[in-house]
Amino acid sequence: LFNVEDVASLLAHFAGPSSLRRFRGTFPAAAQWTSEALPLLSTKCAGSIYVCGGVSCGPLRTAERFDVLEERWEKLPMMLEVRSGPAATSVEGDFYVFGTNSKLGMATAERYVPPFGRWEELPLML
């Protein structure tokens, strides 16, 4: 037999949170354990995937975020600089973007701070 955490983990890994919600709606008898499992999913599936920059008739300033738990995209404010192929990472909830600015080459960097919904310029890289 599986416990609730095992089932939540399997559903999160193979089908995602939306499948667990649909399962709960389809099988009312499962409402109890799915209600217990959804909070566990939020810890196992929490997070966001960011996509930024690119090229479409020139470099772009666009940025979007995919909420893994809610399975939906969100448009973010425009980046401060255009970026055709930046490097990026996320650290402690902030999203950092580096390089490939059409004016200054690889030297520029900026950070998106989700609680404030804004981009901040970082010092030029060496």
Side-chain angles (χ1 to χ4, degrees):
L1 290 177
F2 292 107
N3 66 31
V4 172
E5 187 170 342
D6 291 338
V7 172
S9 180
L10 288 170
L11 281 169
H13 182 73
F14 292 107
S18 64
S19 295
L20 183 57
R21 286 189 201 98
R22 284 192 296 273
F23 182 76
R24 179 175 62 181
T26 306
F27 300 100
Q32 171 71 31
W33 73 265
T34 55
S35 294
E36 293 172 14
L38 278 169
L40 295 171
L41 280 177
S42 67
T43 61
K44 294 185 180 293
C45 297
S48 298
I49 298 170
Y50 290 84
V51 178
C52 61
V55 178
S56 177
C57 301
L60 301 173
R61 292 177 50 215
T62 58
E64 297 178 48
R65 174 175 53 200
F66 182 72
D67 183 313
V68 175
L69 188 59
E70 296 295 322
E71 295 185 339
R72 65 179 171 83
W73 285 97
E74 173 188 3
K75 194 170 194 171
L76 300 177
M78 292 285 192
M79 292 186 294
L80 303 174
E81 302 284 342
V82 295
R83 299 184 185 280
S84 60
T89 191
S90 182
V91 177
E92 295 183 1
D94 292 345
F95 178 59
Y96 294 80
V97 182
F98 311 90
T100 65
N101 171 295
S102 63
K103 299 174 198 155
L104 299 173
M106 296 293 290
T108 65
E110 57 191 283
R111 165 181 57 213
Y112 179 71
V113 184
F116 299 109
R118 70 171 186 245
W119 290 93
E120 297 175 347
E121 185 177 3
L122 297 174
L124 291 176
M125 295 184 289
L126 302 176

